[in-house]
Structures are given as structure tokens and as C-alpha cells.
Amino acid sequence: MDVALTNSIVSTATAMTNRETSDAIQTKVLKKAIDIQAASAATLLQGLPQQPSLATSGPLGTKLHEIA
């Protein structure tokens, strides 16, 4: 077997392994960032005040006045 070909195969295999490792690390970092963002959003939503309930009786907010 040719030495140059062997070196080329080894180099390609090493590059592929490095690429797979890099992809796995980037995926883990992305997942962690998404988890942190979800936790931050949940915290912000919990801090919002409750909306008042809609009127169910009385003269205001219970009837629709339509003029066409």
C-alpha cells in the first residue's frame, strides 16, 4: 500500500473524528442555551401580573353594540 495513500486515509479519518466531536459539542452547547432561555422565559412569565377577569354582569363590558 502506498504511504501517501495511507497518510491521506488516516488524515481524513482524523478530520472526520474531529468534526464529529466538534458537532457533538456544538449540539450540547445549543441545547444548554435553549434550556437556559426556556428557564428565563418561564421566570419572566411567572413575574407577570394576573389579568383581571372579564365582566360577566352589569352594564359595562357585557354587551356588544354594533353599528353597521
Side-chain angles (χ1 to χ4, degrees):
M1 185 173 232
D2 187 15
V3 174
L5 178 60
T6 303
N7 287 340
S8 175
I9 292 171
V10 169
S11 176
T12 301
T14 303
M16 289 177 64
T17 302
N18 289 342
R19 175 64 186 224
E20 289 171 0
T21 303
S22 175
D23 288 348
I25 291 170
Q26 289 175 357
T27 302
K28 286 188 181 228
V29 169
L30 177 62
K31 286 181 180 181
K32 184 67 175 177
I34 290 171
D35 290 343
I36 291 170
Q37 192 173 28
S40 297
T43 302
L44 286 173
L45 289 174
Q46 288 175 353
L48 291 175
Q50 294 292 327
Q51 289 186 348
S53 60
L54 297 175
T56 56
S57 63
L60 296 176
T62 59
K63 297 180 182 168
L64 176 65
H65 301 284
E66 182 179 313
I67 301 173

